Amino acid sequence: MTPRFRISAKDISHSLLSPRPWAAMALLAALLGCSSPRDGALEEFSRWHDSARAQAQAGALSWSELYRQSFDRLTALPPSLQQDTRLENTVLLLSTARKFESNEISAQQFALERDGIETQLQARLR
């Protein structure tokens, strides 16, 4: 019985040495290598932030400290558009928290401004 299709060693070596498969593999490796750590770092930040925010709501952590730590953690992440957006909002939230803690604005004003900034952040991240 003879096979219908024969692939010679020459055909195999030619296809392996062709630039197309290597370019595709390099592109795939670059995409997988670049996106995973960044996404993982942002997910880790989000988990930390949710926990720290709960502490701030419970009064165990000041709001300004939450946003200062957020800023520090965000600046340590790999650059991304999501990081830029979060940093921008963190600066606004830090400023608002400091106004609240220095009694320049009331707790109600702080809650309204914080909710507004966080709502804008969520809308921009979608």
Side-chain angles (χ1 to χ4, degrees):
M1 175 184 239
T2 57
R4 289 182 138 176
F5 303 102
R6 289 185 181 227
I7 300 174
S8 69
K10 180 181 173 186
D11 292 336
I12 291 172
S13 66
H14 177 69
S15 65
L16 289 176
L17 296 176
S18 170
R20 244 185 250 155
W22 291 107
M25 285 190 279
L27 178 61
L28 181 61
L31 290 174
L32 291 174
C34 292
S35 62
S36 295
R38 179 179 299 141
D39 294 343
L42 282 169
E43 287 175 17
E44 184 179 327
F45 169 80
S46 292
R47 284 190 299 275
W48 168 84
H49 187 269
D50 292 345
S51 173
R53 189 175 196 284
Q55 290 177 4
Q57 287 175 323
L61 181 67
S62 71
W63 287 101
S64 61
E65 184 62 18
L66 164 68
Y67 298 126
R68 187 196 62 74
Q69 288 182 25
S70 293
F71 183 85
D72 291 345
R73 288 173 180 259
L74 283 167
T75 55
L77 295 178
S80 70
L81 291 176
Q82 192 174 104
Q83 178 209 34
D84 292 347
T85 301
R86 287 179 184 266
L87 275 170
E88 182 181 327
N89 283 300
T90 297
V91 169
L92 294 172
L93 289 163
L94 177 58
S95 176
T96 303
R98 287 183 175 164
K99 287 178 185 177
F100 166 62
E101 292 167 358
S102 67
N103 295 319
E104 291 179 43
I105 61 174
S106 70
Q108 184 179 8
Q109 288 173 304
F110 172 64
L112 286 171
E113 288 188 40
R114 184 185 70 229
D115 290 344
I117 294 168
E118 289 175 351
T119 299
Q120 288 175 358
L121 171 63
Q122 293 307 315
R124 289 176 68 189
L125 291 177
R126 289 186 189 138

